Amino acid sequence: MIYLMIGLVLLGVVALVAGFLREKKLKRKLAKGEIAELPTIQQVQDMECCGQHEVCEKESLLAAVSKQIEYYSDEELDRFRGVRSDEYQPEEVEEFREVLYTMREEEVAGWIRSLQLRGVELPDEMKDEVFLIVGERRVGGG
């Protein structure tokens, strides 16, 4: 256990020294005019898949990934805006199911994001089905 602790402390010291030396080197290059400015973290603006992520943003169920509302021949579902996910009647759940099972698997994540952006909650009875479809798609690689 003591060796593990010593190893972690040494690793931390090495990382600290390496960071300090890198910063010093970058400041020296900046002073000499070799670089125009110090490197900064850049945010990716384009939400298209770049191949650098384990899961493509197109397959994300989070509305925060995109702000663009896209309709999937489901405009009639907008009337459920503001209805809580546990308040749907069985025939209303079937309307959602009909839309779900008439679309291609690769469209499901986008459809869920679209519903979220439109303020329409997915019925509780369907959440497992949707997660299963999206999960299989992710594991299967598309």
Side-chain angles (χ1 to χ4, degrees):
M1 183 67 171
I2 190 76
Y3 294 117
L4 181 61
M5 295 300 288
I6 291 172
L8 287 174
V9 169
L10 286 175
L11 184 62
V13 170
V14 169
L16 183 66
V17 170
F20 175 75
L21 291 175
R22 179 182 181 272
E23 187 72 21
K24 190 174 180 181
K25 180 180 174 184
L26 287 172
K27 286 183 179 179
R28 189 175 26 233
K29 284 185 174 185
L30 183 63
K32 290 181 180 179
E34 293 177 22
I35 58 174
E37 60 183 37
L38 292 175
T40 59
I41 297 174
Q42 297 177 359
Q43 295 293 325
V44 176
Q45 297 297 323
D46 186 22
M47 294 312 294
E48 292 297 319
C49 291
C50 61
Q52 295 182 350
H53 301 93
E54 185 175 332
V55 176
C56 179
E57 286 90 353
K58 287 182 179 177
E59 294 184 8
S60 175
L61 296 175
L62 300 175
V65 169
S66 173
K67 296 295 180 207
Q68 181 176 350
I69 294 175
E70 185 174 340
Y71 284 91
Y72 294 82
S73 299
D74 65 343
E75 295 82 1
E76 70 278 2
L77 298 179
D78 283 347
R79 74 178 191 277
F80 297 116
R81 186 175 288 129
V83 176
R84 289 195 348 235
S85 63
D86 60 351
E87 294 178 338
Y88 289 103
Q89 299 301 313
E91 59 275 359
E92 295 169 337
V93 174
E94 286 308 311
E95 286 185 56
F96 281 87
R97 257 196 198 100
E98 184 178 326
V99 173
L100 174 65
Y101 288 109
T102 57
M103 66 177 56
R104 296 186 319 261
E105 286 183 4
E106 60 267 15
E107 295 176 324
V108 174
W111 177 58
I112 298 302
R113 284 194 312 270
S114 174
L115 288 175
Q116 290 174 357
L117 290 169
R118 291 158 39 198
V120 177
E121 291 189 28
L122 186 69
D124 285 344
E125 296 89 342
M126 291 185 57
K127 290 180 180 177
D128 289 340
E129 295 170 63
V130 169
F131 291 138
L132 182 66
I133 291 170
V134 173
E136 284 179 352
R137 179 153 171 74
R138 288 179 182 169
V139 171

